[in-house]
Amino acid sequence: MSRIRSLELRLISQPLVRPFRTSFGEDTTKDAILLRMETDDAEGWGECVAGPEPGYSEEFNEEAWITLRDHLAPRILGADVSSEELTNAFAGVRGHPMAKATVEMALLDAELRGAGRSLSEHLGGERDRVACGVSVGITPTVEDLLQQVEGYLAEGYRRIKLKIEPGTDVERVRAVREAHPDILLSVDANAAYSLEDVDVFRALDELGLLMIEQPLSYEDLLRHAKLQRELRTPLCLDESIRSAADAAAAIELGACRIVNIKQGRVGGLLEARRIHDLALAAGVPVWCGGMLETGIGRAANLALAALPGFTLPGDTSASRRYFREDLTDPFVLDQDGTMAVPTGPGLGVVPHGDRIERATVRLERLGKS
Ligand code: NPG
């Protein structure tokens, strides 16, 4: 264990190569908080998955900044606290999983850099490459969608996920399915539907989808269980699963047959691993979701996706799918649709200082270095 000396919060903004539209909004830039931590032994980096708006969850950058600065940092600055002890250290702060996960990522990175071990090894990763999918935002036209899908398939992606919203769903998905009868294809509604829309799901059920992700409200496990009973296609939950307890409840209720694991949504990599472990024990496949992360968060996602229960391709796409220039060396997709899991100490990536400086729009240092 080593003392946490200082923290540096940065808000960065990076243009996306193309706008990303979901049922809850559109992003043209990636705006995220990065955390650099200095301990007596090493430095570590964390990336917060919150965005500028509270559209995906209650957390958003302005609020996560305050949570990190005023509520989480004072509980750990100057203390000898390990990543395993963070849950206890943060017990007085309810919720805010994305802010908490940022601290955990930075602390794990520092600890493992100090120890010379990779994050993947620490978490119990068993693969050195992971299968990758790609998530395609809602496009202005069907033609744009077909063109994007074509391009991603040519790059080697092993699963295509289409964002849907009421009114832009069955017809689009059918067009992609007809153009590509044999690909792994899934849809993601980001909680935009209700049980009144059951006919939409019955129609989607005919299209041989790998899964239908988060069709209903994130607060509603019971109705997901009802919908799942009506469909052959597995439901996958994302926003509804904020902890291992949520995952256990969803699986027991039959609210889903697949779980999307995002470390930020569930409060960190260690909780993510608990969800992996219980899903594996229950025979429920999991996959690693994505939140348009820079190379820092992407490194953590790939380490997680190396665990044995991650049997479905994740939203772990290559850097060039998001950015013209990533903040780390770029993550590259092999033509076989896999990506290498970082093997260096900690996250295994080093952010480029000059790129970080250029992207920074706000900076605050806490504690003495
Ligand atoms: O490739 O990282 C990626 C994006 C994958 O579709 C994706 N993410 O709902 O899962 C989601 C969605 C998302 C993106 C959610 C950004 C919130 C913010």
Side-chain angles (χ1 to χ4, degrees), residues 195-206:
L195 275 187
E196 315 255 289
D197 301 306
V198 68
D199 287 346
V200 171
F201 297 108
R202 292 220 170 91
L204 291 172
D205 207 20
E206 300 301 316

Side-chain angles (χ1 to χ4, degrees), residues 130-144:
V130 300
C132 300
V134 63
S135 170
V136 187
I138 298 167
T139 52
T141 66
V142 185
E143 290 69 39
D144 293 332

Side-chain angles (χ1 to χ4, degrees), residues 43-322:
E43 90 167 18
W45 284 88
E47 177 172 342
C48 183
V49 299
E53 304 281 338
Y56 170 85
S57 85
E58 295 91 339
E59 287 183 278
F60 60 101
N61 288 334
E62 286 296 317
E63 168 276 336
W65 188 284
I66 293 170
T67 304
L68 282 158
R69 183 189 63 198
D70 298 347
H71 300 284
L72 301 181
R75 288 174 156 81
I76 55 167
L77 268 175
D80 264 324
V81 55
S82 73
S83 50
E84 300 285 340
E85 292 165 342
L86 271 188
T87 308
N88 272 344
F90 293 159
V93 180
R94 189 170 289 186
H96 302 282
M98 295 177 178
K100 289 175 179 171
T102 312
V103 178
E104 193 205 72
M105 191 189 296
L107 184 52
L108 274 167
D109 188 30
E111 285 173 349
L112 294 166
R113 270 180 213 276
R117 296 181 71 208
S118 74
L119 178 62
S120 158
E121 192 185 336
H122 179 73
L123 294 174
E126 291 186 354
R127 328 183 164 90
D128 56 4
R129 304 193 67 84
V130 300
C132 300
V134 63
S135 170
V136 187
I138 298 167
T139 52
T141 66
V142 185
E143 290 69 39
D144 293 332
L145 178 63
L146 288 168
Q147 203 182 357
Q148 276 194 42
V149 168
E150 197 71 52
Y152 289 135
L153 289 172
E155 286 181 48
Y157 285 106
R158 292 207 189 166
R159 185 230 59 207
I160 300 287
K161 156 168 143 179
L162 308 178
K163 292 288 187 182
I164 57 169
E165 67 183 354
T168 314
D169 43 39
V170 180
E171 203 186 316
R172 295 275 180 110
V173 183
R174 192 177 288 132
V176 173
R177 178 46 98 205
E178 279 169 5
H180 304 284
D182 300 323
I183 61 168
L184 289 182
L185 184 64
S186 68
V187 295
D188 182 3
N190 287 111
Y193 294 81
S194 75
L195 275 187
E196 315 255 289
D197 301 306
V198 68
D199 287 346
V200 171
F201 297 108
R202 292 220 170 91
L204 291 172
D205 207 20
E206 300 301 316
L207 298 177
L209 301 177
L210 179 62
M211 71 188 91
I212 298 173
E213 190 178 349
Q214 197 67 45
L216 310 177
S217 164
Y218 66 96
E219 292 173 307
D220 203 341
L221 289 184
L222 219 49
R223 286 193 178 83
H224 277 103
K226 274 192 185 150
L227 181 60
Q228 180 66 90
R229 286 197 290 275
E230 300 287 318
L231 304 174
R232 280 169 301 168
T233 311
L235 295 186
C236 168
L237 289 178
D238 172 8
E239 286 96 316
S240 291
I241 309 294
R242 291 155 170 243
S243 62
D246 284 347
I251 292 170
E252 195 169 323
L253 279 170
C256 65
R257 294 190 195 139
I258 296 177
V259 176
N260 166 336
I261 302 186
K262 289 177 179 162
Q263 60 82 29
R265 193 194 67 226
V266 305
L269 289 154
L270 302 180
E271 187 74 355
R273 182 172 60 182
R274 285 190 273 277
I275 297 176
H276 161 272
D277 292 350
L278 75 86
L280 187 62
V284 171
V286 303
W287 56 281
C288 185
M291 306 272 287
L292 308 172
E293 288 90 345
T294 76
I296 299 169
R298 191 159 312 282
N301 287 347
L302 287 162
L304 187 62
L307 268 66
F310 284 79
T311 51
L312 297 170
D315 282 342
T316 43
S317 312
S319 295
R320 58 175 282 193
R321 180 250 172 275
Y322 311 94

